[in-house]
Amino acid sequence: MRVLRNETLSQTVAEMVRVSHWLTFQALFQCGTTECTSAIMQIIWTVDGVSLGVDALVYALGLQANPDAARVRDMLSMAQYKQSKAIMYALANTVKRFYKGAVTPEIMEVSKFMEMILNGCSGETRDTDREDPPGPEEAFLVLRVVGVMGRAMQDASPALISSVLRCMKKSDIPLSNQRAAIQAFMLMDITAEIRSPLLEVYQNPQSPAEIRLAAYQVLMKNPDHSLIREITNGLKDEKDEQLKSFVLSHLYNIFNSADEKPELKELVEAALQDQLSPTSSVFSRLSKNYKLSSLLGSVQSNIIFDDRNTLPKELKLEASLKAFDRSYDMLEVGVEGAGFEPTIKALFGERGFLPETFSRLMKLAGDSTPMLRELLDRVSAGRGRNRRQAPEDHLKAIKDSFQKLLHDVRFSAAPEATAVLRLLGDEVGYMKTSEMRKMLETLFMYYHVFIRGLPAQAFLKLASSAENELFFHYIFMETSFSLPTAAGFPLKLSLSGVFAAGARGGLRPSAVTEASFMPSVGVELITRMGVHLPDYVDAGTEMHTNLYHESSLRAKASVKTNQIKVSLPAPESNIQLLSVSNKLLSISSGQAKPVPSLAEDRVDSTDCQPLLKGLNLCTVIRYSNASSTEQTPYFPLTGEATFAVEVQPTGKVSEYTATITEETVKDKRGRPKAASVTLSLKAEGQESMEATASVRYDHNKNTISTELVIPDWDVEAGINLAVTQSDQDGRRMRGFTVDVTTKNIPQLTLVGRARHEMMKELMLQLQMDIPSLKTDASISAILKRDENVQMDLESVLHLPETSCQQKASLKYDDDKFQVELKTDLNAEVKKMIPNAEEHLQKLQKLIDDILDQKVAKTDMKLRHIVTKGIEAGNIWLDKLITQFPSLATLRSKRSLSDLTLPALPEKLFLQSDSFFRYEFNKEKIIITLPLPLGGKTSEELNLPKTLFFPTIDLPQIGLHIPAKKYVLPSFSIPNSLGLTIPLLGLAEASTKIHSNLYNWEGSISGGNNTVDIPSYAVQYKAMAQSISLLSYKLEGAGMISERADDNLKYLLNCSFSHFLLDTSFSIMETLRVTEKLNGQAIYKFEASSPLGLHASLQSSTQYTSTLNSDDVLVDGTLDVLLKLASFQTNASYSHSYNLRPLNHEGRGESTLRFDSPFIRFQNMIQGVYANSELNVVSKTRTQKDVFKHVAELRYKDAQLTLKCNAVGLALGKSLNNIVEFGLSRHMSIFRIESQADDDASRVYSLITGSLSSNRMEVNSEGSLTFDMGRALHKVSVRAGGDGLTFTGINNIQCSPVTMENTFDGAIGANGASFASTTKVMAEEGRGELNIEGSVTPSEASLYGDLKGHAYDAATTNNMKVILNRRALTFTSNTKGTLRQMTTESSHELTLTLWTLSLRSKSDNFICEDIYYRQNTKVDVKPFVLALDITNKLRFYDLSVNKEGHMKLDALQVELGGTLNGTFREQHNIQHTYELTYKDMSGSVKYSTSGNIIDAQLSHKCELEFAGFSSNSKSMGK
């Protein structure tokens, strides 16, 4: 259908509807193409008369996204055919979504159609095919629709805009049409052509207020400065209060809104400077604009009144949402109404129906009902008014009043109201009161059709035939994409899926009712791959994959006395429960041909299993197995494949019958004695089968018995249910019994009992017995309630060779709450697993086989290696036992070769016992919570003593309530609120677990243990018994007590014991408050192990203080011990201090000692603060005074002094370090002196420094003296306001070499400089190196000079680098001599932005017969390069001279040179060459001549060229 063009589809759609109306609509709606939408319109045109369903369908099509020109044309055709409201709005929404800024012919046609209908609201028509001219309602509809299309109509037809303007100016049309004409410009651009008429309407005082306000709202859509100024200036002389109130409120809302543009707010602020602010009263009966803004959006409302009516003329509510820095219109609801005042006056006015009726009812009631009379007095007129006297015939008067109401309503003008709704910025539509009656009639008609008529017709059709069908089709997946290919044709891949579900069936009523129901579900997936060129080529391969399910149910039912019979005929054909098939099609030239499957190795199998008598469940598989054939495609491209699950009839059963029979047995008196219901199922045919199930109830015995009999399957089972009741010891017990039997053999017995006695005792019991499994279980619960509450629960379960029993007991009384749980589990292991010994022997044999395996490339077995490894480990342990005797218990005395698995126990058991008890505390504590305003009275809070309600008088509705005064009682707020909380009681919990493998016991108790003095205690204990590694013991206790002498004590003890580790931990704290506050805390920790580990930690602290903390004394000690075999380390720390905060005094002292085999040290710190002076001294000693350190810190008179002195001895050397630091308000100084010496050498260092507000200075001196010589070092650094300077001297004397280095530098505002001189002297040599550098704002330079000689060699080198604004200059001269040999070179490089100059000379002389000289010149200028090179080489009788030059200019080249070589004067050779090029012409010349070994050689060559011509000459001799 999607590839059909409009001409083809329009011709076939009528035939499609005749075939299946329902299927055609499903296909067209899911087609989605423009042609399909046109086909839907074509079907709709055939619907006769006005149909609400047609309007709804067209309106829904108009809401579809992304419309095209064809849809616009279809909507226009539908609107030309029928101008209903829904169709016109559908056309408008389609045009609005289609318009993207370009006017198309379709939009032009729509604008002409609208202009033809509207025709300037003249009431005349220009349509020759139309007989009746358009009325006001149709003109109103067109104006609303034009407003929805907005900008599209404005750009398409200026004539239509002129027609709308004429409607706006007409005064002989309804006000609603005028307002609709104005509102049509809301979505258009307000041009000068539109703005001027709108401003005239707004400024016309003769126009109604609602018309002027509508023009104002359109103008304010995009205001400017002149418009706002013109509007505000006109407000000064405005006489219409409603208009003035609305405009002012709207402008002030713009000014106060945070959503508006700042430019607009500034314009409004400037215009409203001289205007009064609008009143803030909501119910002032003045027209207003209300706006509420938030971060999520804004809500705006318009309420417009007129001076003639009390009800609002227009109400509008707008809501917008803010998201992503933009505002979106969400909802707009508007209601416009008029003419409701006569109806309101007739009902509630002075002589209205309701006041008159109440008055008559009051007279009629008289004095018989004073309450009603009082109520009527309140709602009637007040005392000061003249009450109307009702006539004697009250009923006649009420009747006359009702007739008057009908007369007033009938002859008054009919009220009008119009409601407009917009959602998400789109106008949904409008509704008028004149249309409501017609709409109600239509809805009532549809109610009768859909609610009453159609269900009845559907039921009659369903009950009259069994061939009814209903199917739904849905395309759930459509995906396609194209890929480029090397051939240039696009390869298109597509995948689509269709889901179809439905059913066929019905009823045929007769003596034997026949019912049929056949549901089916199908899913088809179509995958296509091929080349698709529209209108040219469509070829490819399609693969259809189908999933299908169907089922069928046909039944015949007949009803007789006490019997119902249902017959199900056996299926005559196969039923596909699930079918999955796959086939390939070849598409070419619009034809589809199946692709044949591979014939080789074709699999075609059917596997059936019996399902019921006469029915088989079969699995069908058909596919081509291409795995054995090469060059074949993979599945599923091998051809057609099928997988199906079917129900296939065998043909031996013709019918299945189910019969339900009811029978009642009565006694001699006619009372029912027993009743039974029997269900019989039968399969009739060659393989007949019958099954019977019955239920019987005995009224006398209160028993229910069921029975199931299937003779062919040898099944005979029954279930009996009996309700019992007995009396024992005067207590009644009720119960039930359920027995399940098979062939009268009990299989399951379930017994339940319950007993209840006057809310004092309750018993529930449930027992179950399964003899075939040797299993029984029981659950019992007993609840006793007397003075105490006790509940016992017990469950018992017996399985073969296994039993489990659980008990739970709960007790509750006024003193305690107690819970006890017990569990007992036993299992006979050897009886449960008779062949357990065989499995154990097999496992033992497997271990022995592994140990007896030989190791590769050896003659040893694995058992031998393991045994020797264990022996080696035992030997190693024997050596350690001498140091750690406790390791003897860890040594294994068995070898792995003797390893045998332990035997299984005869019996496994697990017993557990848990207990919990809580004893309540009878004492309570009262917590007082202060209340706010506590103690205040109502008089103090200034609350009124009376409450006064004024008179309420509404004469319009006859309501009068006189003034009333109520006296309020005085009250007071309590100061506090008491809350009673019970004190903590005593709790206890314990658990015991006992089994073959593990025993565990744990308990915990704690709570309030107060007797005479308050005391709280907690105790816990846990103990495990098993193998040594898993056995442990954990116990502890904690206590908090308070004695009568204000002594508070905290105590905590904890210990853990294991065969590898024993630990204990204890805490004790006491606090006593008398005239002083005394406290003590003791902490202990100990750990020991048989492996030789012992550790302990003990801390003790005492604290004494006065109550106001003016004298505090604290003493404390800490001792630590760590012992591991012979290694022992201990440490101790003690501290003591005394503080007097009020006197600003304090003293403190601490001592730390550490002793170990590796290091020992002691530190003592003393501190005193008195008379505003702080003095702290620290002394440290280590290893018998091998290292000493003394530090002193003193603070007095805003001066801080720190002195440190360290003395040590290491490796025969004496080390000494002194540090001094001073800090005051104006400066700080420091001094660090270090010294190390022995008998032969000495090292000394001194660093001093000072820092003040304007200067910093650091000096460093150092010396090193040793046997070979000495070294000195001195540096000074100064920094101040004038810059940074530094100087330094380094001197090293190491016989026979002496080195001296001096340097200095400065950094200031004018630049930086640095100079360094280094001198080295030895016996046969001397050297000197000078380096100078400077940086100024105009120049940077670096100089270096090296001079030196050693023995017969000497060298000099100087270097100069200068960088300024003119150029970069680099100069270097180097000279070296060794006896008569010399080498000398000089280099000069000058570099500017546009030039480069390089001069390089080298002269190397070894002797008169051996030397080499070279001279190089390079000049580079813009577009010019010049190079000259001269080389001379002499090596005994051989000499070589070479000269060359080159010059490169723009489009010009000069190159030339000579090469001469001689050997002993009689052998020589000479070569010259020359190359010139200029202006596309040039020449090349070279010549070679020489005399070598009595031979003469001569060769000359010349070449001249100009453009493409050349002349060459060559001569050789």
Side-chain angles (χ1 to χ4, degrees), residues 1374-1486:
T1374 304
K1375 183 178 181 180
T1377 61
L1378 177 61
R1379 297 177 183 177
Q1380 75 275 12
M1381 295 184 293
T1382 62
T1383 177
E1384 184 176 357
S1385 64
S1386 63
H1387 307 282
E1388 182 178 355
L1389 172 66
T1390 303
L1391 178 65
T1392 65
L1393 292 177
W1394 299 101
T1395 62
L1396 183 146
S1397 177
L1398 175 64
R1399 301 291 185 268
S1400 177
K1401 293 183 179 180
S1402 177
D1403 188 355
N1404 302 281
F1405 180 82
I1406 297 177
C1407 61
E1408 293 182 355
D1409 295 330
I1410 301 175
Y1411 61 86
Y1412 172 75
R1413 298 183 179 91
Q1414 178 179 339
N1415 189 0
T1416 303
K1417 297 181 181 179
V1418 178
D1419 292 315
V1420 179
K1421 298 180 181 179
F1423 308 106
V1424 178
L1425 171 63
L1427 174 64
D1428 293 325
I1429 300 176
T1430 301
N1431 297 321
K1432 293 183 179 182
L1433 174 63
R1434 175 72 181 268
F1435 190 79
Y1436 296 108
D1437 296 333
L1438 175 65
S1439 64
V1440 178
N1441 297 327
K1442 178 183 178 184
E1443 294 182 0
H1445 69 276
M1446 180 181 67
K1447 183 177 181 181
L1448 299 178
D1449 202 345
L1451 302 177
Q1452 183 176 354
V1453 178
E1454 294 181 3
L1455 176 65
T1458 61
L1459 176 63
N1460 296 321
T1462 61
F1463 182 74
R1464 294 180 182 177
E1465 296 183 358
Q1466 66 269 26
H1467 305 285
N1468 60 77
I1469 187 170
Q1470 182 178 3
H1471 174 75
T1472 63
Y1473 57 91
E1474 180 182 353
L1475 169 65
T1476 61
Y1477 173 80
K1478 183 178 180 181
D1479 297 332
M1480 301 295 294
S1481 63
S1483 62
V1484 178
K1485 300 178 181 180
Y1486 70 89

Side-chain angles (χ1 to χ4, degrees), residues 1063-1083:
T1063 62
S1064 64
F1065 177 73
S1066 65
I1067 298 176
M1068 184 182 70
E1069 295 184 3
T1070 60
L1071 180 63
R1072 184 177 181 181
V1073 180
T1074 54
E1075 296 179 354
K1076 291 187 177 182
L1077 183 64
N1078 299 321
Q1080 183 180 7
I1082 299 176
Y1083 302 90

Side-chain angles (χ1 to χ4, degrees), residues 1227 1250-1257 1277-1282 1285:
M1227 67 179 301
S1250 64
L1251 175 64
S1252 62
S1253 59
N1254 54 6
R1255 187 173 183 179
M1256 181 189 73
E1257 181 177 356
V1277 179
R1278 295 178 179 85
D1282 55 349
T1285 61

Side-chain angles (χ1 to χ4, degrees), residues 85 220 286 310 326 329 545 638 646 715 754 808 1083 1111 1118 1185 1291 1337 1505:
K85 186 190 302 182
M220 290 300 293
L286 291 177
T310 58
R326 294 185 60 185
D329 295 332
T545 304
T638 55
E646 299 178 348
V715 175
Y1083 302 90
D1111 190 1
L1118 175 64
D1185 296 336
N1291 190 296
F1505 61 90

Side-chain angles (χ1 to χ4, degrees), residues 870-885 887-888 891-893:
I870 293 177
E871 292 179 358
N874 290 335
I875 295 173
W876 179 75
L877 284 176
D878 291 338
K879 294 180 179 180
L880 292 179
I881 287 175
T882 57
Q883 297 182 359
F884 305 100
L887 293 179
R891 177 177 175 179
S892 176
K893 297 183 178 180

Side-chain angles (χ1 to χ4, degrees), residues 143-156:
L143 289 172
R144 301 297 303 185
V145 167
V146 171
V148 172
M149 292 182 283
R151 182 66 183 273
M153 295 295 99
Q154 183 181 15
D155 295 343

Side-chain angles (χ1 to χ4, degrees), residues 766 989 1013 1155 1419:
L766 183 64
I1013 58 176
D1155 188 1
D1419 292 315

